[in-house]
Amino acid sequence: MLVAYGTTWVNAMDCRFEDNQVGFRFNAEGTVVTHTQYANNEFFHNGTAVLLESVPAESPLSFPGSVFEDNDTDIDNRCGREVNISQTTFR
């Protein structure tokens, strides 16, 4: 599980999130944005693969080359942040 909380920003590329209640949780405030692409990640068999509660970026988050498979919920976008899934695979 990966958590962004407080005033942090996290980058995750080429990671595998598997068998978690929540694989990647973003609940942060602040102005430091280092990267908005979460490329080539695998999200397998999670309750919720990605939970976006609060994301300080204005640019859309994207998941190019990432694979979401057999999650109860792939992306729970509670904060309404723009998300680009045009190069993402869902199975």
Side-chain angles (χ1 to χ4, degrees):
M1 179 175 160
L2 177 64
V3 177
Y5 189 75
T7 59
T8 62
W9 188 272
V10 295
N11 292 334
M13 294 182 176
D14 301 307
C15 297
R16 184 177 184 112
F17 300 89
E18 185 171 19
D19 296 322
N20 297 287
Q21 185 175 10
V22 176
F24 172 34
R25 179 180 176 201
F26 215 126
N27 188 16
E29 302 287 333
T31 59
V32 177
V33 177
T34 57
H35 205 282
T36 58
Q37 286 192 346
Y38 295 87
N40 305 315
N41 292 302
E42 298 174 330
F43 297 92
F44 296 155
H45 316 289
N46 298 286
T48 299
V50 175
L51 174 57
L52 303 175
E53 293 178 292
S54 179
V55 180
E58 291 183 19
S59 300
L61 300 182
S62 63
F63 295 86
S66 292
V67 176
F68 289 78
E69 183 175 312
D70 197 30
N71 301 291
D72 294 336
T73 302
D74 292 319
I75 301 174
D76 183 350
N77 189 359
R78 295 181 188 178
C79 65
R81 174 61 53 212
E82 186 178 350
V83 177
N84 180 344
I85 55 170
S86 64
Q87 297 175 346
T88 306
T89 301
F90 295 91
R91 299 186 215 160

